[in-house]
Amino acid sequence: MIRVEVAIAAPLDQSLAYDLADDTPGPWSADQSPVGRRVLVPLGGRSLTGYVLAVLPDEEVAYTVRRVLKVLDRIPLFHENLLPFFRWASTYYHYPLGQVIKTALPAGLAPKSVREILLVDGKNEAMLASFTEQPPEWAVRLAAAGRLSAAESSLVLGRGAARKNIDLLRREGILELQETVSKDAVREKMETCFSLSPDLQDLSATLPDAGEGEGWIEAWCRQAGLSLKLSEKKTLAVLVRLALQSQGIDIPAKELYRLYAGGRKAIPALLAQGLVGQLERRIFRNPFGEPVGLQKRPERLTDEQEEVLSQIVPALAAGKYTTFLLHGITGCGKTEVYLRAAEETLARGRDVLVLVPEIALATQLEEHFLSRFGEAVVLLHSGLTTAERFDQWFLALTGRAKIVIGARSALFAPLKDPGLIVVDEEHDAGFKQDDSFRYHGRDLAVLRGRCHEAVVLLGSATPSVTSSYHARTGKYTLLQMTRRVGERALPSVTIVDLSRKKSGEAKGLFRQELRQALAENLEKGQQSVLLLNRRGFSSVMLCQDCGAPVECLHCRVSLTLHKARKRLICHYCGYTVDHRVICSNCHSTGLLVPVGFGTERVEEEARLLLPEARIARLDSDTAADRRTFLQILKAMRARQIDVLIGTQMIAKGHHFPHVTLVGVVWADGGLNMPDFRAAEKTFQLITQVTGRAGRGEELGRVIIQTMRPDHYAIRFAQQHQYEELYQHELQIRRSPAFPPFVRLVALHIQGEREADVRGTAENIADCCRREARQRKAAIETLGPAPAPLERLKRNYRWQVLLKAANLDDLHLICRYVQENRQGLAVGASRIAIDVDPENMM
Ligand code: ADP
Ligand code: ZN
Ligand code: ZN
């Protein structure tokens, strides 16, 4: 019996102690360490999943320690060296440790506790007799089988009338409810394989060519004194041949039966005689649906690549934690730097973790890494099915994969010894998770690097202001690359002022400059990209009679017209209605007037303007599944598309050498957002999309349409002036103070009743102010105020923003709020703590 520390996958502030007996059921033996395995433990009246964190010293305690009910895993799911990292992440983000670990493990692993209805032995008659009328069907089945399955039990328990009966029968001691564990949603996929007895293996090694017939098996049987049936001899012959081909690897049963169907019947006899052995082997599903395009390793590095590597390689050799910020303009060859650093890391026997903001980028990096490292690479991202992701994750856990590439959550990949962690496009907001466990993938990557003494490489053409600040104040080391590969020039950027309209100009989304450039580019047989960071056809639909916008039923948000689908769709909750909706304000059935525009309308206008062009659109509507997404990208690369239209999805990462024109349809949409990062984000988006032009032989050009041509974000993006933007932002953020000069925590309050939510928000703001005063902490409390998106998915949303120069002060207050959240919440309101918030909406 040992005592273990268990973090339960539930909102508990602390881990708990349990006793683990040597004979606890489960695929585990008492001589193995339980750390890193999942266990089933009792808590209150339920059984819950938990994770074993440590073996505790065997001390007297003042309370009764309960026993672990079951060990769930054959092998530990995480290495012990990840625990300090998990603990730190839990403390930093004020999120329960068990739920942090649950987030870190692939979906489909956490078994739920379910209930089964059991009949007490010998109570069949008593139960049936308890019904005054005909017993219901479930009772008849229960009497016959003695128990009901979990699925049926849950159905029966859900029915009011049946529930009453059951409660009564339980009190009379006729029935019991038993907690059990539902099966994991995803399991390792196994296949049956056969192996040959040692004698037969020897035989297969000396086997003559297949051409010489099968007489040898006869001879072998005679020599071994065996008399076998014909089908058995045939089966052996096939197996021996297959063993020869597979060079000793066990033979899948499927393979045998495919070649010789009679094997099915013969196998039991061969097994019984010990000529053949049988085993179950794990199989891996290959997520790379398509063959990957091979990318060559360049023979020579550019001077700048040499230069930055000359700083990275010694850090890798030293095996000490270091974070580099690699600021390199678009097309300067950052990927090659990642690849060389990865080669160095593997050569030292350590692992590599590569994080990208979203699936769009993974495809590009995937190809480079797969070309160079092949089987050592696994992918972890949302484009995979749950089962595929589980497989990939398992390969990393068992050390068979040395390189993991993935989106945000790949950060938790179970690599044993990461020596290099790359975060590509480190500025991207996609690294921040916006619900439940609100972590920032880049920031946790830096932390994980510290825990493993790894080199962290943050790369971007437009680093976040915060990372740049760290790189200039000594926290990170700055590396810069300022020239494109092959000395290609950055494209020239023209700004078109949308606020001034020339007389006689055609209506529509494209001004004369852009119309002309599009037509010319098509004429020359070159590709164009059009960016508008908003999907759908038009963003607001107004009632023709009363002017009211059509809003979502669940959110205080206008519905967007999706013309192709003839639906109005809420972009926040997915609620949709027919496009011929009746006005809820005046009940008019008249027409709706579309206002504003999205990518769908850009596509429509582009088709009108260039009827002969091949046009495609890439946004989350058209790229809902990865296959379609890959097809569009492939077609673009194969030059089967002339004009690609899309949202920010097309702006980053891609390398399309034949794109020579980029048009930004409306550049300043994002500037109107209530977010202190609005200008920074606009600059990043324009710079990224600008970087798509002129990556091949031909020079590129960019046309930016904007209502605010004098805004600094747009000016600096036009001139490719990152440094100026950075300095300007620093100046603005000094007063009123915003990051990097202060740290922020947002407290989000949500609930279905407006008064409760407001009350909770007021309680929290009061509490923060009072606590800060008492602790003499320099914390500024802003709010409470309704969130910019005041109502989403039926929930009212309020927020309180905390600002402080000292992060420790903020953590103290957060902990206080977390520990007292029950007292602070009015009604059913929920409180979420968001440390270093990205999304201010
Ligand atoms: P970034 O990610 O910095 O925008 P990429 O890594 O996509 O730029 O590189 C741009 C292009 O230059 C790619 O096609 C890449 O294969 C190529 N490239 C990178 N390094 C070299 C090199 N040393 N020699 C030749 N071509 C290179
Ligand atoms: Zn109306
Ligand atoms: Zn909605």
Side-chain angles (χ1 to χ4, degrees):
M1 178 93 86
I2 49 174
R3 184 149 302 160
V4 289
E5 180 189 5
V6 175
I8 293 178
L12 295 179
D13 291 335
Q14 278 173 330
S15 50
L16 303 172
Y18 286 92
D19 281 336
L20 179 62
D22 289 356
D23 58 354
T24 304
W28 166 80
S29 69
D31 55 349
Q32 296 170 316
S33 163
V35 175
R37 283 171 224 255
R38 290 173 306 151
V39 287
L40 199 66
V41 292
L43 184 74
R46 303 205 295 151
S47 334
L48 296 168
T49 307
Y51 311 95
V52 179
L53 304 179
V55 175
L56 296 171
D58 191 13
E59 290 164 355
E60 286 290 314
V61 285
Y63 52 91
T64 37
V65 176
R66 300 177 74 183
R67 279 209 192 180
V68 170
L69 302 172
K70 194 171 175 188
V71 175
L72 298 172
D73 296 305
R74 213 157 30 80
I75 57 166
L77 296 182
F78 50 87
H79 301 292
E80 233 165 299
N81 66 11
L82 259 182
L83 268 176
F85 172 66
F86 287 151
R87 288 189 202 268
W88 192 94
S90 162
T91 315
Y92 186 84
Y93 289 107
H94 301 275
Y95 200 69
L97 182 54
Q99 288 178 298
V100 167
I101 298 177
K102 187 174 170 190
T103 311
L105 299 176
L109 265 181
K112 281 199 288 282
S113 133
V114 293
R115 283 179 302 180
E116 287 180 352
I117 303 172
L118 291 190
L119 185 62
V120 174
D121 273 347
K123 298 280 186 183
N124 307 38
E125 296 298 316
M127 180 184 65
L128 292 175
S130 77
F131 295 93
T132 45
E133 287 157 31
Q134 182 77 4
E137 242 177 76
W138 64 263
V140 176
R141 254 199 308 282
L142 181 60
R147 70 192 307 151
L148 295 182
S149 72
E152 189 173 7
S153 299
S154 127
L155 265 180
V156 172
L157 288 168
R159 271 183 240 138
R163 176 84 216 209
K164 258 193 218 135
N165 278 323
I166 289 164
D167 285 343
L168 200 74
L169 291 165
R170 272 178 69 197
R171 257 174 275 140
E172 290 171 4
I174 294 173
L175 294 187
E176 281 175 3
L177 289 183
Q178 192 184 58
E179 298 277 343
T180 57
V181 183
S182 72
K183 295 236 166 51
D184 281 3
V186 176
R187 292 246 236 140
E188 301 169 10
K189 197 167 175 194
M190 310 293 281
E191 70 179 350
T192 303
C193 290
F194 299 121
S195 60
L196 295 174
S197 73
D199 290 352
L200 278 159
Q201 269 168 31
D202 293 348
L203 173 71
S204 80
T206 60
L207 202 63
D209 284 343
E212 295 183 21
E214 309 273 279
W216 50 269
I217 193 82
E218 284 286 351
W220 185 82
C221 286
R222 224 173 305 124
Q223 196 188 335
L226 290 167
S227 85
L228 295 181
K229 287 192 196 139
L230 182 65
S231 67
E232 292 164 7
K233 274 184 279 196
K234 273 198 170 158
T235 303
L236 275 188
V238 174
L239 281 175
V240 170
R241 288 271 173 218
L242 284 172
L244 191 67
Q245 279 167 21
S246 69
Q247 296 176 344
I249 299 173
D250 306 315
I251 301 137
K254 257 206 231 132
E255 194 76 352
L256 167 69
Y257 304 152
R258 192 171 56 80
L259 291 174
Y260 178 53
R264 257 178 225 285
K265 270 213 170 127
I267 277 290
L270 296 174
L271 286 171
Q273 295 181 59
L275 292 168
V276 172
Q278 178 176 333
L279 67 157
E280 298 293 306
R281 183 175 71 179
R282 202 150 173 237
I283 57 170
F284 298 103
R285 281 153 284 207
N286 187 347
F288 316 127
E290 301 188 12
V292 292
L294 283 187
Q295 305 282 342
K296 278 215 300 286
R297 185 178 197 268
E299 270 158 34
R300 294 199 44 226
L301 293 177
T302 66
D303 292 349
E304 286 187 328
Q305 287 169 336
E306 292 276 11
E307 170 59 29
V308 301
L309 280 162
S310 75
Q311 297 198 55
I312 297 169
V313 172
L316 288 168
K320 279 257 179 307
Y321 161 75
T322 321
T323 294
F324 292 101
L325 176 64
L326 174 57
H327 175 197
I329 62 166
T330 53
C332 70
K334 290 186 289 297
T335 313
E336 190 58 37
V337 174
Y338 303 155
L339 290 163
R340 298 287 167 119
E343 284 175 7
E344 282 294 328
T345 311
L346 295 188
R348 299 194 148 71
R350 302 187 71 185
D351 305 325
V352 178
L353 186 54
V354 182
L355 301 180
V356 291
E358 53 196 61
I359 60 164
L361 288 170
T363 53
Q364 200 86 22
L365 274 177
E366 255 166 59
E367 284 201 348
H368 280 281
F369 274 87
L370 285 169
S371 301
R372 199 139 326 161
F373 305 108
E375 296 258 293
V377 181
V378 299
L379 307 177
L380 285 175
H381 52 63
S382 55
L384 307 178
T385 66
T386 311
E388 285 168 341
R389 214 168 333 159
F390 181 76
D391 278 352
Q392 300 279 300
W393 183 88
F394 195 80
L395 282 172
L397 176 69
T398 49
R400 275 170 284 183
K402 307 289 284 175
I403 301 180
V404 170
I405 303 177
R408 185 174 61 219
S409 65
L411 157 78
F412 300 106
L415 290 170
K416 187 157 190 190
D417 182 24
L420 172 69
I421 304 180
V422 174
V423 182
D424 192 27
E425 310 288 351
E426 68 85 27
H427 63 275
D428 199 290
F431 282 119
K432 180 75 199 285
Q433 172 140 318
D434 265 339
D435 54 12
S436 319
F437 178 22
R438 296 165 187 259
Y439 65 94
H440 199 299
R442 173 199 60 217
D443 298 346
L444 278 189
V446 170
L447 177 82
R448 193 164 176 200
R450 205 181 307 157
C451 291
H452 293 283
E453 292 287 357
V455 167
V456 182
L457 189 51
L458 310 176
S460 174
T462 52
S464 62
V465 169
T466 307
S467 292
S468 267
Y469 184 75
H470 290 328
R472 279 150 227 255
T473 52
K475 196 171 166 194
Y476 302 160
T477 305
L478 184 63
L479 303 173
Q480 283 182 298
M481 293 168 73
T482 56
R483 293 194 295 276
R484 282 187 153 184
V485 173
E487 300 297 324
R488 271 170 209 127
L490 280 170
S492 69
V493 183
T494 313
I495 291 186
V496 174
D497 184 353
L498 287 175
S499 67
R500 265 183 250 171
K501 191 141 192 196
K502 290 187 204 120
S503 57
E505 184 148 31
K507 272 212 243 164
L509 296 178
F510 311 136
R511 283 301 165 85
Q512 188 51 35
E513 288 88 340
L514 187 52
R515 301 169 78 88
Q516 199 174 333
L518 281 168
E520 280 172 13
N521 219 40
L522 180 66
E523 191 108 319
K524 281 194 271 177
Q526 285 165 352
Q527 293 177 298
S528 308
V529 161
L530 284 174
L531 173 86
L532 177 63
N533 204 11
R534 192 199 269 166
R535 62 203 170 91
F537 187 82
S538 73
S539 34
V540 183
M541 300 296 280
L542 299 180
C543 166
Q544 186 191 30
D545 293 323
C546 74
V550 183
E551 289 194 340
C552 174
L553 209 60
H554 314 298
C555 312
R556 195 159 294 155
V557 165
S558 301
L559 296 181
T560 300
L561 171 65
H562 287 245
K563 209 171 167 184
R565 290 201 239 164
K566 298 197 169 75
R567 310 283 302 168
L568 302 181
I569 301 178
C570 171
H571 281 185
Y572 290 90
C573 73
Y575 171 78
T576 91
V577 288
D578 191 89
H579 67 304
R580 293 159 304 188
V581 68
I582 296 168
C583 173
S584 62
N585 188 40
C586 71
H587 306 291
S588 151
T589 52
L591 283 178
L592 295 171
V593 185
V595 177
F597 43 86
T599 44
E600 204 182 354
R601 180 143 160 229
V602 174
E603 183 183 356
E604 190 177 284
E605 291 203 8
R607 286 188 194 283
L608 286 175
L609 180 68
L610 308 168
E612 68 282 29
R614 296 162 300 175
I615 295 176
R617 176 161 58 90
L618 200 57
D619 53 31
S620 41
D621 293 323
T622 63
D625 77 294
R626 190 171 162 82
R627 196 164 295 275
T628 318
F629 175 79
L630 286 173
Q631 267 162 8
I632 296 178
L633 284 189
K634 214 169 123 191
M636 187 68 187
R637 280 207 232 168
R639 302 181 77 174
Q640 291 157 353
I641 293 172
D642 298 312
V643 183
L644 180 64
I645 294 159
T647 54
Q648 40 88 23
M649 217 180 244
I650 62 168
K652 28 190 171 179
H654 310 291
H655 182 70
F656 303 127
H658 301 288
V659 170
T660 50
L661 172 67
V662 167
V664 181
V665 178
W666 181 40
D668 45 295
L671 287 177
N672 309 323
M673 296 285 178
D675 179 350
F676 73 93
R677 289 194 190 87
E680 180 185 353
K681 286 181 178 162
T682 299
F683 175 87
Q684 286 163 346
L685 184 62
I686 298 177
T687 306
Q688 292 289 337
V689 75
T690 297
R692 294 320 107 206
R695 294 170 74 94
E697 300 300 319
E698 301 274 335
L699 211 65
R701 63 188 285 213
V702 178
I703 295 175
I704 297 178
Q705 302 192 133
T706 173
M707 298 291 283
R708 301 169 74 176
D710 294 323
H711 194 283
Y712 68 91
I714 294 188
R715 281 276 159 229
F716 289 144
Q718 180 198 16
Q719 311 285 342
H720 312 294
Q721 287 173 320
Y722 175 81
E723 192 59 35
E724 285 74 3
L725 176 100
Y726 168 69
Q727 295 299 345
H728 196 96
E729 280 294 321
L730 279 195
Q731 227 169 21
I732 291 177
R733 295 189 197 180
R734 260 178 227 280
S735 167
F738 274 103
F741 299 111
V742 286
R743 306 298 291 263
L744 295 182
V745 170
L747 299 161
H748 305 287
I749 302 100
Q750 287 200 17
E752 293 199 14
R753 294 196 42 204
E754 194 168 14
D756 290 353
V757 173
R758 187 189 319 130
T760 309
E762 280 163 359
N763 285 350
I764 288 181
D766 288 348
C767 157
C768 291
R769 291 199 169 95
R770 189 186 60 235
E771 286 298 308
R773 214 178 313 118
Q774 276 175 10
R775 293 164 203 260
K776 299 201 173 24
I779 293 180
E780 194 183 342
T781 304
L782 304 172
L789 293 167
E790 226 183 301
R791 185 161 182 253
L792 281 188
K793 303 180 186 174
R794 292 175 175 276
N795 280 291
Y796 290 90
R797 308 164 80 239
W798 277 61
Q799 55 195 28
V800 174
L801 197 63
L802 305 179
K803 260 189 198 180
N806 183 336
L807 187 61
D808 294 336
D809 288 342
L810 282 177
H811 278 315
L812 280 178
I813 303 284
C814 289
R815 201 162 310 139
Y816 186 86
V817 169
Q818 171 79 357
E819 280 164 9
N820 294 283
R821 60 187 182 273
Q822 250 129 25
L824 291 166
V826 181
S829 320
R830 298 179 304 280
I831 302 167
I833 299 176
D834 191 355
V835 180
D836 306 325
E838 277 284 328
N839 182 351
M840 312 303 280
M841 302 299 283

